[in-house]
């Protein structure tokens, strides 16, 4: 093996360091494989139950009436996630779009949206109207309330109870930490929060932003009381093959409204040509449990490598995992840039380009991003990014295979090692 990694530019010291770290991770990898095996069976079971056949891959054009592939795929998602209904479409452009549909379809003027677990993902600020925006929920007369997490990361049950009022219609809970420093919530913690909310107001709709969380555990938030779960197909459930799309799974009543909002009142799920993407949506979903498992192994490997080298990592090397994101505080701009250069150099696509920090809308400093993906912007593929400001944290995720994730992490380390930015500690 040394020679094959040597050929890709990894020095023997870096490779040996990685192998020593890996030797200590076998139990955790075995546990991840067991979850993947369980979820693989869950997906196959849903496909068998719904009699997926070659006809499902044919696709449709125009209005997309009687699109068997689209209808069966939605049943497969619904059965796999144990919900009454699902909306899974290439017309849903991204995760933010799916969340915006779920919110705007189920909230009416005078209703209130509550986020009981702190600030939602950045792109939702304009959807909700936290940052002023045309067409935001605020503009349509939907008010918003937020209860922040306690300093220890726990739910502030007392203030959540106070925040729920006669207007509260929908509660949004984000599973993954996104770009925050809080821990990601386990499905069972989400279940506790939902149970608490429903004990105060039983008819409130609980929606979970499930981005990056799919197939990381054996259960999903829809198994613990969520009325809707929402995500992107260029993250976990697309398995790297879906070229576009998003999903919303949940109670029939909620999904019917989402379909009316996505297409038009009266049309709902009956229209929406699936074009030529059905095969990749099915095949990606089929592969998703193992792809997500590979990404998870990469995240754990990275946490252990960089923690051993003395960096703060979130989650830390031993914590249990509920999404595929890893953050490493690298401390200097030089390290952040070198790390991203290594990730880029490990990519199957665009490995020859060098990422450079640049100004991005919405940030008050330059940002560096590394990605060499088959699907543009896909973050189930190996990618890394970070804002050029203290503490110079890099966030990275993905890897369609564990071996690619491993190579990426070795290359990130190689890149810093060559520039004298890290010392490989004796173990
Ligand atoms: C990625 C992400 C989103 C938004 O998805 P996009 O596809 O980028 O629009 C929302 N919430 C969380 C937690 C995410 O990770």
């Amino acid at each position: 093996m040394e020679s094959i990694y040597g050929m890709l530019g990894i020095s023997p010291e870096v490779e040996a360091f990685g192998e020593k770290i890996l030797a200590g991770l076998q139990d955790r990898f075995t546990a991840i494989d067991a979850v993947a095996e369980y979820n693989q069976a869950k997906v196959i079971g849903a496909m068998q139950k719904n009699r997926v056949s070659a006809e499902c891959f044919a696709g449709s054009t125009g209005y997309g009436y009687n699109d068997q592939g689209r209808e069966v795929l939605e049943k497969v998602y619904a059965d796999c996630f144990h919900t009454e209904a699902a909306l899974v479409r290439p017309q849903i452009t991204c995760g933010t779009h799916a969340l915006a549909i779920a919110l705007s379809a189920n909230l009416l003027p005078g209703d209130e949206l509550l986020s009981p677990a702190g600030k939602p993902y950045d792109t939702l600020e304009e959807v909700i109207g936290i940052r002023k925006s045309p067409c935001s929920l605020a503009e349509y007369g939907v008010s918003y309330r937020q209860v922040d997490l306690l300093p220890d990361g726990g739910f502030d049950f007392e203030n959540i109870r106070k925040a729920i009022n006669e207007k509260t219609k929908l509660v949004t809970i984000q599973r993954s930490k996104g770009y925050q420093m809080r821990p990601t919530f386990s499905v069972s913690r989400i279940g506790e929060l939902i149970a608490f909310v429903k004990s105060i107001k039983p008819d409130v709709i609980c929606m979970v932003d499930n981005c990056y969380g799919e197939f990381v555990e054996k259960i999903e938030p829809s198994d613990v009381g969520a009325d809707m779960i929402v995500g992107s197909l260029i993250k976990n459930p697309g398995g790297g093959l879906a070229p576009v799309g998003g999903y919303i799974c949940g109670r029939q009543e909620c999904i019917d409204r989402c379909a009316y909002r996505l297409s038009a009142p009266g049309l709902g799920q009956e229209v929406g040509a699936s074009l030529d993407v059905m095969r990749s949506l099915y095949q990606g979903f089929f592969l998703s449990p193992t792809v997500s498992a590979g990404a998870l192994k990469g995240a754990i490997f990275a946490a252990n490598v960089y923690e051993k080298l003395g960096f703060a990592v979130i989650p830390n090397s031993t914590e249990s995992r509920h999404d595929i994101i890893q953050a490493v505080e690298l401390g200097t701009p030089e390290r952040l840039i070198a790390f991203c250069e290594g990730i880029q150099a490990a990519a199957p696509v665009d490995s020859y380009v060098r990422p450079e920090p640049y100004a991005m809308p919405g940030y008050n400093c330059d940002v560096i991003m590394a990605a060499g993906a088959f699907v543009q912007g896909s973050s189930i593929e190996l990618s890394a990014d970070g804002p050029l400001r203290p503490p110079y944290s890099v966030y990275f995720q993905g890897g369609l295979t564990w071996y690619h994730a491993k190579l990426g992490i070795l290359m990130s380390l190689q890149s810093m090692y060559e520039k004298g930015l890290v010392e490989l500690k004796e173990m």
Side-chain angles (χ1 to χ4, degrees):
M1 281 309 263
E2 267 185 28
S3 61
I4 193 74
Y5 278 125
M7 190 194 83
L8 292 169
I10 308 278
S11 58
E13 308 87 273
V14 168
E15 186 182 348
F17 185 82
E19 291 306 322
K20 273 188 217 154
I21 296 283
L22 260 184
L25 295 178
Q26 290 320 306
D27 288 352
R28 296 199 70 192
F29 280 24
T30 303
I32 291 170
D33 288 337
V35 172
E37 184 175 358
Y38 182 92
N39 286 328
Q40 182 73 83
K42 202 158 75 167
V43 171
I44 293 173
M47 290 188 170
Q48 291 176 346
K49 181 180 167 202
N50 290 290
R51 303 170 69 93
V52 173
S53 68
E55 285 74 50
C56 295
F57 309 146
S60 65
T61 54
Y63 291 99
Y65 290 133
N66 304 314
D67 186 323
Q68 186 198 343
R70 184 194 65 211
E71 287 170 14
V72 171
L73 181 69
E74 289 178 334
K75 288 201 180 105
V76 167
Y77 264 71
D79 280 331
C80 183
F81 293 145
H82 307 126
T83 60
E84 291 171 4
L87 191 63
V88 187
R89 306 267 165 143
Q91 285 83 10
I92 301 177
T93 57
C94 62
T96 304
H97 187 201
L99 289 158
I101 293 166
L103 291 171
S104 57
N106 288 286
L107 286 159
L108 293 174
D111 288 341
E112 189 159 275
L113 167 66
L114 171 66
S115 178
K119 189 183 93 60
Y121 197 71
D122 290 50
T123 56
L124 285 187
E125 289 183 10
E126 281 171 272
V127 172
I128 296 169
I130 300 171
R131 266 185 289 141
K132 213 165 174 297
S133 170
C135 299
S136 67
L137 290 170
E139 217 187 47
Y140 285 97
V142 174
S143 55
Y144 172 70
R145 213 176 270 263
Q146 175 178 317
V147 178
D148 289 331
L149 295 171
L150 294 168
D152 68 358
F155 301 127
D156 186 350
F157 288 113
E158 202 182 308
N159 281 310
I160 294 170
R161 181 193 299 280
K162 285 186 198 147
I164 295 173
N165 59 60
E166 67 292 345
K167 287 170 63 183
T168 311
K169 174 73 175 297
L170 196 153
V171 162
T172 179
I173 302 166
Q174 182 181 311
R175 180 171 175 182
S176 169
K177 66 183 162 302
Y179 292 127
Q180 292 168 273
M181 284 305 177
R182 68 152 167 95
T184 287
F185 304 132
S186 68
V187 173
S188 85
R189 276 192 76 198
I190 290 172
E192 284 163 29
L193 181 55
I194 292 173
F196 179 77
V197 166
K198 297 222 174 201
S199 76
I200 296 163
K201 194 168 184 184
D203 60 347
V204 85
I205 298 168
C206 291
M207 180 192 87
V208 175
D209 174 350
N210 208 25
C211 281
Y212 287 130
E214 298 91 351
F215 298 127
V216 169
E217 299 184 42
K218 287 182 182 173
I219 53 170
E220 301 291 337
S222 43
D223 293 311
V224 294
D227 299 292
M228 286 189 286
I229 59 171
V230 185
S232 162
L233 300 195
I234 63 167
K235 295 179 180 172
N236 306 18
L241 293 186
V244 68
Y247 76 86
I248 308 169
C249 297
R251 282 203 292 115
Q252 188 75 53
E253 208 187 331
C254 297
I255 300 302
D256 285 346
R257 294 192 66 95
C258 292
Y260 273 20
R261 177 53 68 231
L262 173 64
S263 60
L267 301 184
Q269 268 172 291
E270 306 292 319
V271 296
S274 57
L275 303 174
D276 252 341
V277 303
M278 273 299 138
R279 184 198 311 276
S280 15
L281 265 50
Y282 278 100
Q283 203 172 354
F285 197 54
F286 171 76
L287 291 177
S288 175
T290 47
V291 169
S292 303
L296 201 54
K297 288 178 183 174
I300 291 172
F301 180 51
N304 281 271
V305 164
Y306 284 101
E307 192 174 82
K308 194 78 190 175
L309 294 172
F311 298 100
V313 295
I314 304 169
N316 72 30
S317 62
T318 55
E319 259 173 79
S320 70
R321 297 274 162 161
H322 311 291
D323 68 9
I324 62 167
I325 315 279
Q326 182 64 47
V328 184
E329 278 185 20
L330 292 167
T332 70
E334 291 78 19
R335 288 202 199 105
L336 175 55
I337 293 167
F339 184 104
C340 289
E341 285 174 356
I343 295 290
Q344 188 75 40
V349 181
D350 294 337
S351 63
Y352 55 90
V353 304
R354 237 185 49 180
E356 292 203 19
Y358 66 105
M360 283 247 309
Y363 286 90
N364 59 5
C365 63
D366 283 357
V367 178
I368 186 164
M369 297 193 166
F374 295 101
V375 170
Q376 290 170 29
S378 168
S379 45
I380 186 59
E381 299 186 51
L382 188 65
S383 48
D385 48 84
L388 271 275
R389 65 178 176 226
Y392 301 98
S393 291
V394 71
Y395 296 85
F396 88 102
Q397 63 271 317
L400 292 186
T401 69
W402 146 240
Y403 301 112
H404 180 223
K406 176 181 173 183
L407 175 67
I409 293 144
L410 291 177
M411 286 293 268
S412 70
L413 180 55
Q414 180 72 31
S415 169
M416 286 197 275
Y417 178 64
E418 278 171 12
K419 296 179 181 74
L421 300 171
V422 284
E423 248 178 79
L424 298 180
K425 301 221 167 101
E426 284 301 317
M427 298 205 301

